[in-house]
């Protein structure tokens, strides 16, 4: 680990207690000048490190670094390579490039900001600096393309569990890939697959997760529909590194649940669409129906207004206001 990251890790571990240059130098077996150089580099990168008179250095706010994330992992060996970039176009694209170059399953890329964050159906994902967790994991799992839908559903459950453990908030899942809190979007998931066309087997999967963590406001097109964890907690703070570690812990924990679908009852329990009247939006049409179930492959079962029962695996749903609502 680079000296800069080791210093960051010590400051993160120390929390609100300032660490003197001597203490840092002694624990890393480096000179005080090297400590000062590392602190300066971190400050230049935007970390808020305060020099407290006669006491030392104190880190304010939330640092996102591979070292800090690794501190919170239950099984660090599972996550082979954790990278934190200051900026990338899209962590999904970065991980796909790494996968094509032979990176192992368990490679993870976080970014402090994305310049071209991608959502489902060609949309963008709003990814301003240091406000969220934007990351993608590379999974190399046995199985065919049908696995990708299930993995998205399992990842949604893992995200809800991680949010619950880190913040105490109970969140809901809007089929198939969005995490909501009281009707507003907190998180989106974009799973992309590469398939071997001859064997029809999965080559790899990239699961990209974007969570609004500290945003105080959103651009006009998102305000009213999006919310952040700290926005919900109103005054409570969320450590992005701790949340990141918990997300990786829960993603790892949910993978063995895939073959037996053990996560599905929780997915259904957390669903905010089951039993609701919906607009079913595809590329070619919008039709109305009622969500009646989610099957063992993660597909949504919808009873259309004309009585037809449809199994839906792609597209988008929008919940229609309750019939007795006057607004
Ligand atoms: C959606 O809301 O439709 C899905 C959003 C997925 C966003 C995440 S952020 C990390 C990863 N990189 C991307 O470009 N997209 C995903």
């Amino acid at each position: 680990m680079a000296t800069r990251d080791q210093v960051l890790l010590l400051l993160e571990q120390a929390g609100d207690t300032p660490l003197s240059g001597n203490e840092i130098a002694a624990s890393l077996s480096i000179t005080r000048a090297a400590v000062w150089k590392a602190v300066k580099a971190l400050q230049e990168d935007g970390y808020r490190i305060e020099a407290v008179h006669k006491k030392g250095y104190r880190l304010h706010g939330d640092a996102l670094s591979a070292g800090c994330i690794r501190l919170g992992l239950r099984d660090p060996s599972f996550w082979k390579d954790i990278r934190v970039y200051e900026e990338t176009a899209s962590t999904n694209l970065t991980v796909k490039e790494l996968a094509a170059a032979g990176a192992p399953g368990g490679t993870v890329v976080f970014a402090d900001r994305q310049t071209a964050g991608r959502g489902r159906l060609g949309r963008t994902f709003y990814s301003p600096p240091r406000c969220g967790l934007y990351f993608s994991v590379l999974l190399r799992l046995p199985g065919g393309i049908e696995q990708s839908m299930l993995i998205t559903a399992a990842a949604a459950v893992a995200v809800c569990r991680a949010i619950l453990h880190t913040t105490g908030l109970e969140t809901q899942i809007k089929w198939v890939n969005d995490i909501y809190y009281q009707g507003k979007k907190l998180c989106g998931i974009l799973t992309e697959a590469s398939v071997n066309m001859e064997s029809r087997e999965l080559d790899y999967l990239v699961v990209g997760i974007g969570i609004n963590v500290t945003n105080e406001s959103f651009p006009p097109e998102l305000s009213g529909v999006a919310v952040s964890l700290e926005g919900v907690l109103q005054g409570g703070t969320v450590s992005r590194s701790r949340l990141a570690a918990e997300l990786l812990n829960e993603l790892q924990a949910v993978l063995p649940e895939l073959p037996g679908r053990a996560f599905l009852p929780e997915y259904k329990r957390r669903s905010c669409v089951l039993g609701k009247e919906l607009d079913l939006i595809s590329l070619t049409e919008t039709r109305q129906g009622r969500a009646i179930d989610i099957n063992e492959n993660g597909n949504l079962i919808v009873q259309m207004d004309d009585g037809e029962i449809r199994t839906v695996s792609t597209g988008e749903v929008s919940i229609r206001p309750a019939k007795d609502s006057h607004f």
Side-chain angles (χ1 to χ4, degrees), residues 90-92 114 117-120 125 135-136 185 188-189 208-210:
S90 151
T91 55
N92 268 31
Q114 297 184 115
R118 296 170 338 121
R120 284 181 73 231
F125 187 81
F135 71 105
S136 304
K185 182 164 166 173
I189 302 173
I209 299 177

Side-chain angles (χ1 to χ4, degrees), residues 126 128 131 212-219 223 226-232:
Y126 179 61
C131 286
N212 305 322
V213 182
T214 64
N215 317 56
E216 288 173 0
S217 61
F218 289 90
S223 70
V227 72
S228 71
L229 288 172
E230 290 195 356
V232 171

Side-chain angles (χ1 to χ4, degrees), residues 88-93 109 111 114 116-127 133-136 177-178 185 187-192 206-211 316:
T88 178
S90 151
T91 55
N92 268 31
L93 287 181
V109 171
Q114 297 184 115
R118 296 170 338 121
R120 284 181 73 231
L121 308 170
R123 299 192 187 118
T124 56
F125 187 81
Y126 179 61
S127 317
L133 274 181
Y134 320 116
F135 71 105
S136 304
N177 66 328
D178 289 338
K185 182 164 166 173
C187 163
I189 302 173
L190 175 65
T191 302
E192 299 184 87
V206 176
V207 183
I209 299 177
I211 307 185
E316 174 89 343

Side-chain angles (χ1 to χ4, degrees), residues 9 12-13 64-84 106-108 110 135 137 162 240-253:
L9 195 54
E12 160 87 2
Q13 283 171 318
L64 191 63
S65 73
C68 294
I69 295 168
R70 281 203 176 277
L71 275 180
L73 291 180
R74 265 181 236 138
D75 178 7
S77 65
F78 183 85
W79 299 104
K80 298 278 177 299
D81 182 7
I82 299 179
R83 304 180 183 200
V84 180
T107 297
V108 192
F110 288 84
F135 71 105
V137 303
R240 286 186 305 152
S241 293
R242 257 164 242 143
L243 178 60
E246 201 50 28
L247 284 158
L248 295 180
N249 288 336
E250 292 301 335
L251 279 171
Q252 182 187 353

Side-chain angles (χ1 to χ4, degrees), residues 53-73:
H53 186 57
K54 290 193 174 159
K55 289 194 173 151
Y57 300 108
R58 182 164 54 197
L59 177 67
H60 287 271
D62 186 21
L64 191 63
S65 73
C68 294
I69 295 168
R70 281 203 176 277
L71 275 180
L73 291 180

Side-chain angles (χ1 to χ4, degrees), residues 260-278:
R261 319 291 201 253
F263 66 90
L264 258 189
E266 182 173 351
Y267 185 91
K268 288 194 200 183
R269 181 171 62 75
R270 291 187 180 275
S271 170
C272 59
V273 302
L274 276 183
K276 299 274 172 54
E277 302 291 330
L278 306 172

